[in-house]
Amino acid sequence: MAQNCQRLVALQNSAVEQANNMFNGPDNRFAIVVCNDATEVVYGQFYAQMQFQRTRSFSVPTAGLSPVNAAIQPDNRARTTGMIAAEDENNDIFSIKLRTRFTSGEAVDYSSEQKLPPGKSAVFQDQGFTVGIVRLGKGTRR
């Protein structure tokens, strides 16, 4: 396994990208990995599929994160939820907001805004967590 959260998240991002390229995945899907830097345990791997067609002129496409059943080193003592929004889909800018709740009842909120063209990934750190996000696709909109 990896030596730390940063490396573990980068390895998982790479694995998801490679699998998506093998199976010709569309560019409106996202994979997210959340790792707690203090314990180096991945709390979860998540999936989101965004519909880019706007329903109203004042809304932005948004998708909730769904847990992937095959998480790495799953830790059932914490629960992470979140959402991703296309803040500026023409410029591939997305906002991700997450909350991890521990068994103690404490909740930690963290967020980031990322430029993510199809087929690209990003890693960010916030509030003691390392988060990886991959926008699936090979760089072409379908």
Side-chain angles (χ1 to χ4, degrees):
M1 290 297 276
Q3 297 169 337
N4 57 42
C5 262
Q6 185 95 13
R7 184 74 182 127
L8 184 58
V9 167
L11 285 170
Q12 190 63 16
N13 276 0
S14 178
V16 170
E17 284 178 294
Q18 289 174 11
N20 187 71
N21 287 339
M22 285 177 61
F23 297 104
N24 240 0
D27 64 2
N28 64 337
R29 294 181 182 171
F30 299 81
I32 294 96
V33 181
V34 178
C35 183
N36 182 345
D37 296 324
T39 61
E40 297 182 12
V41 172
V42 173
Y43 283 114
Q45 181 177 344
F46 303 90
Y47 163 88
Q49 180 166 342
M50 189 169 294
Q51 303 301 322
F52 286 119
Q53 294 78 19
R54 293 177 185 268
T55 54
R56 298 182 179 94
S57 61
F58 57 84
S59 67
V60 299
T62 304
L65 303 187
S66 300
V68 172
N69 290 331
I72 301 171
Q73 297 180 356
D75 183 348
N76 295 324
R77 294 172 298 170
R79 182 166 182 244
T80 300
T81 56
M83 60 188 302
I84 183 169
E87 298 295 343
D88 184 347
E89 63 189 270
N90 293 328
N91 292 313
D92 296 320
I93 297 173
F94 297 89
S95 177
I96 179 170
K97 298 184 183 304
L98 299 109
R99 166 173 281 184
T100 295
R101 185 174 295 281
F102 298 97
T103 52
S104 65
E106 176 191 5
V108 179
D109 295 321
Y110 41 105
S111 65
S112 179
E113 190 173 87
Q114 300 287 339
K115 182 170 179 65
L116 280 175
K120 298 298 180 187
S121 64
V123 176
F124 69 91
Q125 293 179 301
D126 189 10
Q127 306 278 335
F129 290 85
T130 299
V131 179
I133 177 169
V134 179
R135 181 176 180 191
L136 305 180
K138 294 184 179 179
T140 57
R141 292 203 188 249
R142 292 175 176 84

